[in-house]
Amino acid sequence: EVQLVESGGGFVQVGESLRLSCAISGFTPNSYAMSWVRRPPGKGLEWVSGINADGDTQTYADSVKGRFTIHRDNAKKTLYLQMNSLKLEDTAEYYCAKSVFNFASSRLEEYNHWGQGTQVTVSS
């Protein structure tokens, strides 16, 4: 059974940093791309960042480019999202998601397993 368990969310102030983690089980990590997706309060899902199966290609939404870094450690079966210079608009529930492909894209329909989410709240 595929399981994705996020952790690392919390309350921070503008400009601070957080690192999210996603523990992976139930499939071979180096076979599938992964992404982070978020849902801001009262809004729909928003793709944030993706990484291909072997970890050598990362993509980012324009809104987080230069501030967020996605990384995966397939040996540890963990996906990470380092979030720096956090802004108020980064407040959201953050989800990790497993793709059906080995390359990541922003198309949410390509993700067939999702974690339960971890809340990130940025205050001024």
Side-chain angles (χ1 to χ4, degrees):
E1 178 188 2
V2 173
Q3 285 196 327
L4 303 173
V5 180
E6 301 94 337
S7 61
F11 292 85
V12 295
Q13 294 191 318
V14 170
E16 294 185 339
S17 299
L18 274 177
R19 188 177 79 160
L20 305 183
S21 299
C22 172
I24 297 166
S25 62
F27 67 97
T28 304
N30 61 4
S31 295
Y32 298 97
M34 301 285 295
S35 278
W36 288 97
V37 179
R38 67 187 181 187
R39 186 192 297 275
K43 298 184 179 181
L45 290 171
E46 173 184 294
W47 176 83
V48 174
S49 178
I51 187 166
N52 70 340
D54 60 11
D56 63 0
T57 302
Q58 304 86 32
T59 50
Y60 299 93
D62 287 343
S63 59
V64 306
K65 201 171 293 183
R67 300 188 297 120
F68 289 12
T69 302
I70 191 170
H71 170 67
R72 66 191 300 165
D73 187 330
N74 287 336
K76 294 183 177 179
K77 297 186 177 182
T78 306
L79 176 72
Y80 302 97
L81 185 68
Q82 178 66 43
M83 305 186 296
N84 298 331
S85 303
L86 282 161
K87 302 178 179 180
L88 293 174
E89 53 264 40
D90 294 319
T91 294
E93 187 84 5
Y94 283 73
Y95 303 89
C96 63
K98 169 191 166 292
S99 175
V100 298
F101 300 118
N102 62 1
F103 57 90
S105 84
S106 60
R107 294 167 55 91
L108 300 182
E109 59 266 35
E110 294 182 3
Y111 297 88
N112 62 344
H113 289 281
W114 299 71
Q116 83 290 346
T118 186
Q119 178 67 37
V120 172
T121 303
V122 185
S123 64
S124 58

